[in-house]
Amino acid sequence: LESFRNLQFAFVLAFILVYMVLASVLESLIQPFTIMLTVPLAFVGVIAAFLWTGETMNLLAMIGMVMLVGIVVNNAIVMLDYVNQLRAQGIETRDALLLAGQRRLRPITMTTMTTILALLPLAMGLGEGARLQRPLALAVIGGLASSTVLTLFVIPVIYSLLDDLGKAVRRLTRRQRPAESVPPAQAVDGGQ
């Protein structure tokens, strides 16, 4: 019980630290939130992997879930970084998201597949002591597989919704600001 409590603390701490690093690098509070949404998407796969294999959740599976916090955000970072580059070039949000999905699909699937294939022998229980480490491999494989698939669809939608919300808030704040009145003499001088 003490170990599970410690792992829960480690999970929360890992989540906060990853968020803080992303917020400082991206200089935004919203985009790291969007990226961190990949973590709950990973848990869908973890649960599915354990239900499908009939394996029981144990301490090593929890360690695998803590590892997932750092692993699964990579795909969203790769995608949203490219979206930001495209938007800096003047491309509209929707077009940037579609283009990023097309151009980053291959690197995202390649990194996911190499990690999954590397953990497959461990998940199959091959090798000495692998049976004990099988839950860790299953947690990482299941979480990574589901988060990769869901990241390609869910994260662009969330990004687009948050972008639209940000634009709406900016429009409202512009309307609510009182228009600065310029004295007529300054307006004439400023025009010359």
Side-chain angles (χ1 to χ4, degrees):
L1 191 62
E2 179 77 22
S3 300
F4 280 104
R5 248 188 258 121
N6 289 339
L7 278 172
Q8 286 175 343
F9 175 74
F11 176 79
V12 170
L13 184 62
F15 195 88
I16 291 169
L17 290 173
V18 170
Y19 181 86
M20 287 171 51
V21 168
L22 289 172
S24 66
V25 170
L26 296 172
E27 297 176 359
S28 167
L29 295 175
I30 304 275
Q31 286 190 0
F33 172 74
T34 306
I35 291 170
M36 294 305 288
L37 284 175
T38 57
V39 176
L41 299 178
F43 294 145
V44 172
V46 172
I47 293 166
F50 279 87
L51 289 174
W52 185 53
T53 59
E55 190 73 42
T56 57
M57 187 75 71
N58 65 12
L59 194 60
L60 283 171
M62 297 284 284
I63 292 171
M65 290 169 69
V66 172
M67 288 171 51
L68 278 172
V69 174
I71 296 171
V72 299
V73 297
N74 294 335
N75 293 336
I77 291 169
V78 167
M79 187 167 188
L80 292 186
D81 181 55
Y82 193 63
V83 169
N84 290 337
Q85 290 174 20
L86 292 172
R87 291 194 62 204
Q89 295 171 10
I91 298 174
E92 288 295 319
T93 304
R94 186 172 190 272
D95 296 332
L97 287 166
L98 290 171
L99 205 55
Q102 291 170 355
R103 292 188 181 166
R104 292 298 178 235
L105 177 63
R106 187 173 178 213
I108 287 172
T109 53
M110 283 174 57
T111 55
T112 299
M113 289 309 296
T114 53
T115 307
I116 288 173
L117 291 174
L119 288 169
L120 209 53
L122 201 59
M124 293 168 56
L126 303 175
E128 198 170 316
R131 179 77 183 116
L132 292 172
Q133 298 169 2
R134 185 172 188 238
L136 183 140
L138 284 174
V140 174
I141 288 172
L144 193 54
S146 71
S147 76
T148 299
V149 172
L150 294 172
T151 293
L152 292 170
F153 298 103
V154 175
I155 296 303
V157 171
I158 300 295
Y159 183 94
S160 180
L161 289 172
L162 290 175
D163 187 60
D164 291 345
L165 182 67
K167 286 177 185 174
V169 168
R170 284 190 293 273
R171 268 182 272 161
L172 278 174
T173 55
R174 275 190 222 131
R175 281 187 202 158
Q176 290 179 352
R177 281 190 200 144
E180 294 180 20
S181 59
V182 178
Q186 285 183 346
V188 172
D189 290 340
Q192 292 177 351

